[in-house]
Protein backbone atom coordinates (compact mmCIF):
# COMPACT_ATOMS: atom_id res chain seq x y z
CA UNK A 1 0.00 0.00 0.00
CA UNK A 2 1.38 3.39 -0.99
CA UNK A 3 2.19 5.46 2.09
CA UNK A 4 0.90 9.00 1.69
CA UNK A 5 1.83 11.94 3.88
CA UNK A 6 -1.15 14.20 3.33
CA UNK A 7 0.10 17.19 5.32
CA UNK A 8 3.69 18.37 4.96
CA UNK A 9 5.40 21.77 5.03
CA UNK A 10 8.26 20.95 2.70
CA UNK A 11 8.48 23.73 0.11
CA UNK A 12 11.71 25.70 0.61
CA UNK A 13 10.81 29.07 2.10
CA UNK A 14 7.12 28.84 1.22
CA UNK A 15 6.22 29.05 4.91
CA UNK A 16 7.93 28.46 8.27
CA UNK A 17 8.02 24.69 7.58
CA UNK A 18 11.29 24.90 5.68
CA UNK A 19 13.88 27.66 5.79
CA UNK A 20 15.46 26.68 2.49
CA UNK A 21 16.37 24.04 -0.04
CA UNK A 22 18.75 22.09 2.20
CA UNK A 23 16.02 21.65 4.85
CA UNK A 24 13.45 20.61 2.25
CA UNK A 25 15.78 18.02 0.71
CA UNK A 26 16.51 16.62 4.18
CA UNK A 27 12.78 16.47 4.98
CA UNK A 28 12.12 14.58 1.75
CA UNK A 29 15.03 12.21 2.36
CA UNK A 30 13.57 11.46 5.81
CA UNK A 31 10.17 10.84 4.23
CA UNK A 32 11.73 8.44 1.78
CA UNK A 33 13.54 6.57 4.57
CA UNK A 34 10.18 6.28 6.34
CA UNK A 35 8.69 4.61 3.26
CA UNK A 36 6.56 7.54 2.07
CA UNK A 37 5.72 7.25 -1.64
CA UNK A 38 3.69 10.44 -2.02
CA UNK A 39 3.83 13.76 -0.19
CA UNK A 40 1.18 16.40 -0.43
CA UNK A 41 2.97 19.74 -0.07
CA UNK A 42 0.64 21.87 2.03
CA UNK A 43 2.09 25.34 2.71
CA UNK A 44 -0.02 27.54 4.98
CA UNK A 45 -2.39 29.90 3.24
CA UNK A 46 -3.93 32.55 5.51
CA UNK A 47 -6.55 34.31 3.40
CA UNK A 48 -7.00 37.02 6.06
CA UNK A 49 -3.38 38.06 5.61
CA UNK A 50 -2.44 37.28 2.03
CA UNK A 51 -4.05 37.43 -1.39
CA UNK A 52 -4.28 34.24 -3.39
CA UNK A 53 -2.14 35.49 -6.29
CA UNK A 54 1.08 36.08 -4.32
CA UNK A 55 0.58 32.82 -2.44
CA UNK A 56 0.23 30.82 -5.65
CA UNK A 57 3.26 32.58 -7.15
CA UNK A 58 5.38 31.78 -4.07
CA UNK A 59 4.19 28.18 -4.06
CA UNK A 60 5.00 27.72 -7.76
CA UNK A 61 8.43 29.32 -7.38
CA UNK A 62 9.44 27.30 -4.32
CA UNK A 63 8.12 24.10 -5.88
CA UNK A 64 10.14 24.69 -9.06
CA UNK A 65 13.25 25.32 -6.97
CA UNK A 66 12.65 22.05 -5.11
CA UNK A 67 11.85 19.84 -8.10
CA UNK A 68 15.02 20.94 -9.90
CA UNK A 69 17.09 19.67 -6.97
CA UNK A 70 15.21 16.45 -6.18
CA UNK A 71 16.91 13.11 -6.77
CA UNK A 72 15.25 10.94 -9.42
CA UNK A 73 14.07 8.35 -6.89
CA UNK A 74 12.52 10.85 -4.44
CA UNK A 75 8.91 10.35 -3.30
CA UNK A 76 6.34 11.92 -5.58
CA UNK A 77 5.04 15.34 -4.55
CA UNK A 78 1.67 16.88 -5.30
CA UNK A 79 0.86 20.49 -4.57
CA UNK A 80 -1.83 21.45 -2.12
CA UNK A 81 -2.26 23.97 0.67
CA UNK A 82 -3.34 24.16 4.29
CA UNK A 83 -6.03 26.78 4.02
CA UNK A 84 -7.19 28.61 7.10
CA UNK A 85 -10.94 29.08 7.17
CA UNK A 86 -12.17 32.67 7.05
CA UNK A 87 -15.63 34.04 6.52
CA UNK A 88 -16.35 34.32 2.80
CA UNK A 89 -13.66 31.81 1.80
CA UNK A 90 -16.29 30.16 -0.39
CA UNK A 91 -16.43 33.32 -2.52
CA UNK A 92 -12.73 33.32 -3.34
CA UNK A 93 -12.33 32.98 -7.11
CA UNK A 94 -9.84 30.29 -8.02
CA UNK A 95 -10.35 28.51 -4.69
CA UNK A 96 -9.96 25.29 -6.67
CA UNK A 97 -6.29 26.11 -7.18
CA UNK A 98 -5.76 25.48 -3.47
CA UNK A 99 -7.11 21.94 -3.76
CA UNK A 100 -4.71 19.01 -4.01
CA UNK A 101 -3.51 19.01 -7.63
CA UNK A 102 -5.88 17.16 -9.90
CA UNK A 103 -8.68 16.94 -7.31
CA UNK A 104 -11.42 18.98 -5.64
CA UNK A 105 -10.02 18.10 -2.21
CA UNK A 106 -9.28 21.06 0.07
CA UNK A 107 -7.27 20.75 3.31
CA UNK A 108 -8.93 23.21 5.70
CA UNK A 109 -7.64 24.44 9.04
CA UNK A 110 -10.06 25.93 11.55
CA UNK A 111 -9.08 29.37 12.89
CA UNK A 112 -8.37 29.95 16.60
CA UNK A 113 -11.65 31.87 17.00
CA UNK A 114 -13.71 29.08 15.38
CA UNK A 115 -17.33 28.62 16.27
CA UNK A 116 -19.94 26.87 14.19
CA UNK A 117 -22.26 29.85 14.45
CA UNK A 118 -19.70 32.32 13.05
CA UNK A 119 -18.65 30.15 10.12
CA UNK A 120 -21.65 28.04 9.25
CA UNK A 121 -22.57 29.90 6.06
CA UNK A 122 -19.04 29.62 4.71
CA UNK A 123 -18.75 25.96 5.65
CA UNK A 124 -22.10 25.19 4.08
CA UNK A 125 -21.17 26.99 0.86
CA UNK A 126 -17.80 25.24 0.57
CA UNK A 127 -19.57 21.89 0.51
CA UNK A 128 -22.81 22.61 -1.27
CA UNK A 129 -22.13 25.58 -3.56
CA UNK A 130 -18.45 25.16 -4.42
CA UNK A 131 -18.97 21.40 -4.17
CA UNK A 132 -15.55 20.78 -2.68
CA UNK A 133 -14.46 17.77 -0.71
CA UNK A 134 -13.18 19.35 2.48
CA UNK A 135 -10.69 17.54 4.70
CA UNK A 136 -10.25 19.11 8.13
CA UNK A 137 -6.54 19.38 8.92
CA UNK A 138 -5.26 17.80 12.14
CA UNK A 139 -8.66 17.14 13.70
CA UNK A 140 -6.80 15.99 16.82
CA UNK A 141 -6.24 19.66 17.69
CA UNK A 142 -9.89 20.63 17.98
CA UNK A 143 -12.61 20.07 20.54
CA UNK A 144 -14.02 16.59 19.82
CA UNK A 145 -17.63 17.79 19.89
CA UNK A 146 -16.94 20.37 17.18
CA UNK A 147 -15.16 17.83 15.00
CA UNK A 148 -17.93 15.26 15.38
CA UNK A 149 -20.52 17.85 14.42
CA UNK A 150 -18.60 18.79 11.26
CA UNK A 151 -17.99 15.17 10.30
CA UNK A 152 -21.70 14.49 10.54
CA UNK A 153 -22.27 17.31 8.05
CA UNK A 154 -19.99 15.71 5.47
CA UNK A 155 -16.54 17.05 6.23
CA UNK A 156 -13.69 14.55 6.27
CA UNK A 157 -10.75 14.28 8.65
CA UNK A 158 -6.96 14.22 8.57
CA UNK A 159 -5.09 13.22 11.74
CA UNK A 160 -1.51 14.19 12.58
CA UNK A 161 1.07 11.66 13.71
CA UNK A 162 1.76 13.45 17.01
CA UNK A 163 -1.39 12.44 18.96
CA UNK A 164 -0.61 8.75 18.39
CA UNK A 165 2.68 9.29 20.23
CA UNK A 166 1.29 10.80 23.45
CA UNK A 167 -0.40 8.75 26.15
CA UNK A 168 -3.06 11.34 26.81
CA UNK A 169 -4.24 11.55 23.18
CA UNK A 170 -3.40 8.12 21.74
CA UNK A 171 -6.64 6.33 22.45
CA UNK A 172 -8.84 9.04 20.97
CA UNK A 173 -6.62 9.21 17.86
CA UNK A 174 -6.75 5.43 17.38
CA UNK A 175 -10.52 5.45 17.73
CA UNK A 176 -10.89 8.32 15.28
CA UNK A 177 -8.58 6.69 12.71
CA UNK A 178 -10.98 3.78 12.44
CA UNK A 179 -13.86 6.02 11.42
CA UNK A 180 -14.62 6.07 7.69
CA UNK A 181 -14.49 9.87 7.72
CA UNK A 182 -10.79 9.76 8.52
CA UNK A 183 -9.30 9.78 5.06
CA UNK A 184 -5.74 10.95 5.64
CA UNK A 185 -2.76 10.93 7.97
CA UNK A 186 -0.05 13.55 8.08
CA UNK A 187 3.34 14.28 9.54
CA UNK A 188 2.61 18.05 9.50
CA UNK A 189 6.41 18.21 9.27
CA UNK A 190 7.99 21.58 10.06
CA UNK A 191 11.79 21.65 9.97
CA UNK A 192 13.73 18.44 10.50
CA UNK A 193 13.92 18.00 14.27
CA UNK A 194 11.04 15.52 14.66
CA UNK A 195 11.40 14.25 11.12
CA UNK A 196 9.34 11.11 10.52
CA UNK A 197 9.87 9.45 13.90
CA UNK A 198 6.30 10.28 14.97
CA UNK A 199 4.91 9.14 11.62
CA UNK A 200 6.64 5.76 12.01
CA UNK A 201 5.43 5.45 15.60
CA UNK A 202 1.90 6.24 14.42
CA UNK A 203 2.18 3.45 11.85
CA UNK A 204 3.21 0.98 14.55
CA UNK A 205 0.39 2.04 16.86
CA UNK A 206 -2.20 1.83 14.09
CA UNK A 207 -1.06 -1.55 12.76
CA UNK A 208 -3.32 -2.72 9.92
CA UNK A 209 -5.60 0.32 10.33
CA UNK A 210 -2.83 2.47 8.85
CA UNK A 211 -3.17 0.82 5.46
CA UNK A 212 -6.95 1.06 5.70
CA UNK A 213 -6.63 4.84 6.04
CA UNK A 214 -3.97 4.95 3.28
CA UNK A 215 -6.42 3.14 0.98
CA UNK A 216 -9.01 5.84 1.76
CA UNK A 217 -6.43 8.52 0.91
CA UNK A 218 -5.59 6.83 -2.38
CA UNK A 219 -9.29 6.64 -3.27
CA UNK A 220 -9.77 10.31 -2.35
CA UNK A 221 -6.92 11.27 -4.70
CA UNK A 222 -8.12 8.98 -7.47
CA UNK A 223 -4.98 6.81 -7.34
FE1 LIG B 1 0.25 22.15 9.02
Amino acid sequence: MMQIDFHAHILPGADHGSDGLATSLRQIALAQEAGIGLLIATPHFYPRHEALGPFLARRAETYACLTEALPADAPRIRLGAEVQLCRGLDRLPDLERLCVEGTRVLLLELPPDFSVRAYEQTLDALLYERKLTVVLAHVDRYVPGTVDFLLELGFLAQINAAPFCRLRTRKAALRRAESVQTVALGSDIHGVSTGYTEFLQMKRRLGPVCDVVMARTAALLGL
Side-chain angles (χ1 to χ4, degrees), residues 120-195:
E120 64 185 342
Q121 280 186 336
T122 303
L123 290 169
D124 192 54
L126 287 172
L127 289 188
Y128 298 105
E129 284 169 38
R130 296 301 287 254
K131 300 194 186 324
L132 298 175
T133 299
V134 180
V135 177
L136 299 172
H138 43 60
V139 289
D140 42 281
R141 289 205 199 154
Y142 309 127
V143 178
T146 300
V147 174
D148 291 334
F149 175 78
L150 294 172
L151 297 185
E152 274 174 28
L153 290 180
F155 291 87
L156 300 172
Q158 176 259 314
I159 310 180
N160 274 2
F164 295 94
C165 305
R166 318 243 143 81
L167 274 180
R168 198 169 52 80
T169 50
R170 179 177 300 152
K171 198 154 188 187
L174 290 170
R175 202 180 311 119
R176 206 174 270 295
E178 297 206 1
S179 137
V180 290
Q181 286 118 329
T182 297
V183 293
L185 300 166
S187 66
D188 201 356
I189 188 167
H190 287 74
V192 292
S193 56
T194 310

Side-chain angles (χ1 to χ4, degrees), residues 7 9 42 44 82 109 138 141 188 190:
H7 186 155
H9 299 270
T42 55
H44 288 283
E82 178 177 9
E109 175 183 44
H138 43 60
R141 289 205 199 154
D188 201 356
H190 287 74

Side-chain angles (χ1 to χ4, degrees), residues 3 28-29 31-33 35-39 70-77:
Q3 300 299 297
I28 290 161
Q32 188 167 16
E33 283 168 29
I36 305 291
L38 173 63
L39 288 148
L70 275 182
D73 63 344
R76 287 159 53 201
I77 297 173

